[in-house]
Amino acid sequence: MNLRTKLLALLAFALPAVLAGTVPASASPAQTVELAAPAGSGLPAYVAVIKPVTAERLGSSWHEGCPVGPDQLRLVSLNFVGFDGAVHRGELVVNADRATEVARVFADLYFGRFPIERMETVEKYDSDDDASMAANNTSAFNCRAITGGTAWSNHSYGRAIDINTVQNPYISGSGAVYPPNGAPYVDRTQTVPGMIHAGDATEQAFTTRGWTWGGSWDTPIDYQHFEKP
Protein backbone atom coordinates (compact mmCIF):
# COMPACT_ATOMS: atom_id res chain seq x y z
CA MET A 1 0.00 0.00 0.00
CA ASN A 2 1.56 3.31 -1.09
CA LEU A 3 1.62 6.43 1.10
CA ARG A 4 -1.36 8.07 -0.66
CA THR A 5 -3.51 4.97 -0.20
CA LYS A 6 -2.51 4.73 3.48
CA LEU A 7 -3.48 8.38 4.08
CA LEU A 8 -6.87 7.94 2.37
CA ALA A 9 -7.59 4.84 4.43
CA LEU A 10 -6.66 6.66 7.64
CA LEU A 11 -8.94 9.59 6.77
CA ALA A 12 -11.82 7.27 5.92
CA PHE A 13 -11.47 5.65 9.34
CA ALA A 14 -10.95 8.82 11.36
CA LEU A 15 -13.38 11.29 9.77
CA PRO A 16 -16.66 9.67 10.92
CA ALA A 17 -15.36 9.58 14.49
CA VAL A 18 -14.38 13.25 14.34
CA LEU A 19 -17.75 14.27 12.91
CA ALA A 20 -19.61 12.21 15.49
CA GLY A 21 -17.75 14.03 18.20
CA THR A 22 -18.92 17.41 16.90
CA VAL A 23 -22.65 16.64 17.45
CA PRO A 24 -23.50 15.53 20.97
CA ALA A 25 -25.78 12.50 21.11
CA SER A 26 -28.12 14.42 23.41
CA ALA A 27 -28.47 17.43 21.07
CA SER A 28 -32.09 18.62 20.97
CA PRO A 29 -33.86 18.58 17.60
CA ALA A 30 -36.06 21.46 18.77
CA GLN A 31 -36.29 24.64 16.70
CA THR A 32 -36.98 28.02 18.31
CA VAL A 33 -38.63 31.03 16.69
CA GLU A 34 -38.00 34.11 18.85
CA LEU A 35 -39.07 37.62 17.91
CA ALA A 36 -38.55 40.78 19.92
CA ALA A 37 -41.67 42.73 20.82
CA PRO A 38 -42.12 46.18 19.25
CA ALA A 39 -40.97 49.02 21.48
CA GLY A 40 -43.75 50.25 23.72
CA SER A 41 -45.94 47.18 23.19
CA GLY A 42 -45.61 46.11 26.81
CA LEU A 43 -45.26 42.51 25.65
CA PRO A 44 -42.39 40.12 26.33
CA ALA A 45 -40.61 38.61 23.34
CA TYR A 46 -42.56 36.07 21.34
CA VAL A 47 -41.12 32.58 21.66
CA ALA A 48 -42.29 29.46 19.83
CA VAL A 49 -40.57 26.09 20.29
CA ILE A 50 -41.07 23.43 17.60
CA LYS A 51 -40.36 19.83 18.58
CA PRO A 52 -40.95 16.33 17.22
CA VAL A 53 -43.96 14.55 18.69
CA THR A 54 -44.54 10.88 19.49
CA ALA A 55 -47.60 8.67 19.14
CA GLU A 56 -47.71 8.49 22.93
CA ARG A 57 -47.89 12.29 23.19
CA LEU A 58 -50.58 12.48 20.50
CA GLY A 59 -52.73 10.07 22.47
CA SER A 60 -56.20 9.45 21.06
CA SER A 61 -55.79 12.17 18.40
CA TRP A 62 -53.73 9.73 16.30
CA HIS A 63 -54.04 6.03 15.46
CA GLU A 64 -52.76 3.55 12.93
CA GLY A 65 -54.30 4.23 9.54
CA CYS A 66 -54.21 8.03 9.86
CA PRO A 67 -52.97 9.76 6.68
CA VAL A 68 -49.79 11.04 8.35
CA GLY A 69 -47.55 9.53 11.01
CA PRO A 70 -46.20 11.18 14.17
CA ASP A 71 -42.87 11.69 12.38
CA GLN A 72 -44.65 14.05 9.96
CA LEU A 73 -46.05 16.20 12.78
CA ARG A 74 -44.56 18.76 15.16
CA LEU A 75 -45.59 20.07 18.57
CA VAL A 76 -45.46 23.87 18.68
CA SER A 77 -45.44 25.61 22.07
CA LEU A 78 -46.04 29.34 21.74
CA ASN A 79 -47.03 32.61 23.40
CA PHE A 80 -50.54 33.99 23.06
CA VAL A 81 -52.54 36.79 24.65
CA GLY A 82 -55.52 35.51 26.60
CA PHE A 83 -58.98 36.97 27.05
CA ASP A 84 -57.63 38.28 30.37
CA GLY A 85 -54.99 40.34 28.55
CA ALA A 86 -52.14 38.30 30.07
CA VAL A 87 -49.54 36.29 28.16
CA HIS A 88 -50.00 32.50 28.21
CA ARG A 89 -48.31 29.48 26.65
CA GLY A 90 -50.29 27.18 24.40
CA GLU A 91 -49.64 24.09 22.29
CA LEU A 92 -50.61 23.13 18.75
CA VAL A 93 -49.77 20.01 16.75
CA VAL A 94 -49.27 20.77 13.05
CA ASN A 95 -47.65 19.22 10.02
CA ALA A 96 -43.86 19.53 9.99
CA ASP A 97 -43.99 21.45 6.71
CA ARG A 98 -46.32 24.05 8.25
CA ALA A 99 -44.71 24.39 11.71
CA THR A 100 -42.42 27.39 11.19
CA GLU A 101 -45.07 29.25 9.22
CA VAL A 102 -47.67 28.58 11.94
CA ALA A 103 -45.26 29.90 14.56
CA ARG A 104 -44.89 33.13 12.58
CA VAL A 105 -48.65 33.47 11.99
CA PHE A 106 -49.28 33.29 15.72
CA ALA A 107 -46.51 35.83 16.30
CA ASP A 108 -48.59 38.25 14.22
CA LEU A 109 -51.67 37.48 16.33
CA TYR A 110 -49.63 37.88 19.51
CA PHE A 111 -48.16 41.26 18.60
CA GLY A 112 -51.62 42.36 17.43
CA ARG A 113 -52.98 41.33 20.85
CA PHE A 114 -55.65 39.17 19.24
CA PRO A 115 -57.12 37.33 22.27
CA ILE A 116 -57.34 33.54 22.41
CA GLU A 117 -59.19 31.86 25.24
CA ARG A 118 -57.26 28.59 25.35
CA MET A 119 -54.89 26.54 23.22
CA GLU A 120 -54.61 22.86 24.12
CA THR A 121 -53.90 19.79 22.03
CA VAL A 122 -57.12 17.97 21.31
CA GLU A 123 -56.38 14.71 23.14
CA LYS A 124 -57.06 16.73 26.31
CA TYR A 125 -60.72 16.48 25.18
CA ASP A 126 -60.49 12.77 24.30
CA SER A 127 -60.05 14.03 20.73
CA ASP A 128 -63.76 14.88 20.66
CA ASP A 129 -64.12 17.85 18.30
CA ASP A 130 -67.48 18.85 19.79
CA ALA A 131 -66.02 18.97 23.30
CA SER A 132 -63.00 20.96 22.16
CA MET A 133 -65.20 23.46 20.32
CA ALA A 134 -67.57 23.87 23.25
CA ALA A 135 -64.56 24.74 25.44
CA ASN A 136 -63.58 27.50 22.98
CA ASN A 137 -60.32 25.69 22.39
CA THR A 138 -57.92 26.68 19.61
CA SER A 139 -56.43 23.51 18.12
CA ALA A 140 -55.00 21.99 14.96
CA PHE A 141 -54.20 18.29 14.42
CA ASN A 142 -56.93 15.73 15.01
CA CYS A 143 -57.16 12.57 12.91
CA ARG A 144 -60.85 12.66 12.00
CA ALA A 145 -63.27 12.90 9.10
CA ILE A 146 -64.63 16.21 7.85
CA THR A 147 -67.72 17.42 9.69
CA GLY A 148 -70.74 15.61 8.25
CA GLY A 149 -68.64 13.49 5.87
CA THR A 150 -66.27 10.55 5.58
CA ALA A 151 -63.19 12.00 3.83
CA TRP A 152 -60.20 12.95 5.95
CA SER A 153 -60.34 16.48 7.31
CA ASN A 154 -57.29 18.66 6.72
CA HIS A 155 -56.94 18.55 10.51
CA SER A 156 -55.91 14.91 9.97
CA TYR A 157 -52.82 16.14 8.12
CA GLY A 158 -52.01 18.91 10.62
CA ARG A 159 -52.79 21.48 7.93
CA ALA A 160 -55.85 23.13 9.47
CA ILE A 161 -56.36 25.25 12.59
CA ASP A 162 -59.57 26.24 14.43
CA ILE A 163 -59.45 29.48 16.43
CA ASN A 164 -61.79 30.65 19.23
CA THR A 165 -64.46 28.18 18.18
CA VAL A 166 -67.27 29.80 20.22
CA GLN A 167 -66.83 33.34 18.86
CA ASN A 168 -66.23 31.86 15.38
CA PRO A 169 -68.74 29.02 14.94
CA TYR A 170 -69.26 26.53 12.12
CA ILE A 171 -72.62 26.86 10.35
CA SER A 172 -73.79 23.85 8.33
CA GLY A 173 -75.73 24.03 5.08
CA SER A 174 -78.91 23.35 7.06
CA GLY A 175 -78.14 26.18 9.51
CA ALA A 176 -76.97 24.04 12.44
CA VAL A 177 -74.41 25.84 14.60
CA TYR A 178 -71.34 24.11 16.07
CA PRO A 179 -70.63 24.47 18.89
CA PRO A 180 -74.19 25.27 20.00
CA ASN A 181 -72.86 27.84 22.49
CA GLY A 182 -71.52 29.73 19.47
CA ALA A 183 -75.05 30.62 18.33
CA PRO A 184 -74.92 34.19 19.77
CA TYR A 185 -71.98 34.87 17.43
CA VAL A 186 -73.65 33.89 14.15
CA ASP A 187 -74.43 37.59 13.78
CA ARG A 188 -71.15 38.78 12.29
CA THR A 189 -72.03 42.46 12.54
CA GLN A 190 -70.80 42.21 16.11
CA THR A 191 -67.27 43.13 17.08
CA VAL A 192 -66.32 41.18 20.19
CA PRO A 193 -62.94 40.00 21.50
CA GLY A 194 -61.71 36.89 19.72
CA MET A 195 -64.01 37.21 16.70
CA ILE A 196 -62.51 37.00 13.19
CA HIS A 197 -63.79 39.23 10.37
CA ALA A 198 -62.98 39.39 6.68
CA GLY A 199 -59.93 41.56 6.05
CA ASP A 200 -58.93 41.94 9.69
CA ALA A 201 -55.39 41.37 10.95
CA THR A 202 -56.08 37.81 12.05
CA GLU A 203 -57.55 36.77 8.71
CA GLN A 204 -54.70 38.54 6.90
CA ALA A 205 -52.03 36.83 9.01
CA PHE A 206 -53.19 33.54 7.48
CA THR A 207 -54.46 34.42 4.02
CA THR A 208 -51.42 36.49 3.00
CA ARG A 209 -49.42 33.30 3.59
CA GLY A 210 -51.68 31.25 1.34
CA TRP A 211 -54.11 29.85 3.90
CA THR A 212 -57.85 29.67 3.15
CA TRP A 213 -60.40 30.99 5.65
CA GLY A 214 -63.62 29.01 6.14
CA GLY A 215 -65.45 32.25 6.87
CA SER A 216 -65.26 33.07 3.15
CA TRP A 217 -67.00 29.82 2.10
CA ASP A 218 -70.60 29.81 0.85
CA THR A 219 -71.69 26.59 2.56
CA PRO A 220 -70.81 25.42 5.08
CA ILE A 221 -69.43 28.58 6.65
CA ASP A 222 -66.63 27.89 9.11
CA TYR A 223 -65.53 31.12 10.78
CA GLN A 224 -63.06 29.36 13.10
CA HIS A 225 -61.24 27.43 10.38
CA PHE A 226 -58.04 28.12 8.44
CA GLU A 227 -56.37 25.53 6.20
CA LYS A 228 -53.44 25.14 3.86
CA PRO A 229 -53.49 21.63 2.31
Side-chain angles (χ1 to χ4, degrees):
M1 182 183 293
N2 61 34
L3 180 60
R4 181 174 180 275
T5 304
K6 287 181 179 179
L7 288 172
L8 288 173
L10 181 60
L11 283 171
F13 174 79
L15 187 58
V18 171
L19 291 176
T22 65
V23 182
S26 59
S28 171
Q31 174 191 351
T32 299
V33 175
E34 184 169 357
L35 300 169
S41 70
L43 290 170
Y46 173 83
V47 180
V49 180
I50 302 167
K51 298 188 294 186
V53 65
T54 64
E56 181 180 13
R57 173 64 180 79
L58 292 169
S60 58
S61 69
W62 183 87
H63 55 81
E64 291 292 342
C66 289
V68 297
D71 61 316
Q72 295 169 272
L73 300 168
R74 295 293 182 270
L75 177 66
V76 185
S77 173
L78 57 85
N79 291 31
F80 69 91
V81 175
F83 275 27
D84 59 0
V87 176
H88 302 269
R89 294 289 288 175
E91 292 183 320
L92 295 169
V93 172
V94 299
N95 198 286
D97 62 12
R98 299 284 180 264
T100 300
E101 186 171 69
V102 165
R104 293 187 175 276
V105 167
F106 278 88
D108 289 355
L109 272 56
Y110 173 73
F111 292 133
R113 290 187 178 271
F114 175 78
I116 295 172
E117 182 159 7
R118 59 173 48 85
M119 188 187 295
E120 300 177 312
T121 50
V122 76
E123 83 286 345
K124 304 285 195 308
Y125 300 86
D126 294 324
S127 303
D128 182 330
D129 189 48
D130 289 335
S132 179
M133 284 194 296
N136 207 20
N137 184 47
T138 293
S139 66
F141 175 77
N142 191 10
C143 185
R144 62 173 179 82
I146 59 172
T147 302
T150 57
W152 289 118
S153 164
N154 279 317
H155 288 284
S156 301
Y157 299 86
R159 292 176 177 162
I161 299 173
D162 291 339
I163 298 175
N164 287 343
T165 48
V166 171
Q167 289 77 24
N168 302 291
Y170 171 100
I171 306 169
S172 74
S174 65
V177 178
Y178 301 98
N181 54 331
Y185 303 99
V186 170
D187 176 6
R188 307 308 285 182
T189 64
Q190 303 176 82
T191 301
V192 300
M195 187 179 275
I196 303 165
H197 292 94
D200 70 11
T202 299
E203 188 247 18
Q204 291 289 299
F206 282 94
T207 58
T208 57
R209 292 177 169 94
W211 292 66
T212 298
W213 180 44
S216 65
W217 299 345
D218 291 327
T219 182
I221 303 173
D222 199 352
Y223 293 111
Q224 64 197 247
H225 183 90
F226 291 93
E227 65 179 32
K228 189 176 182 181

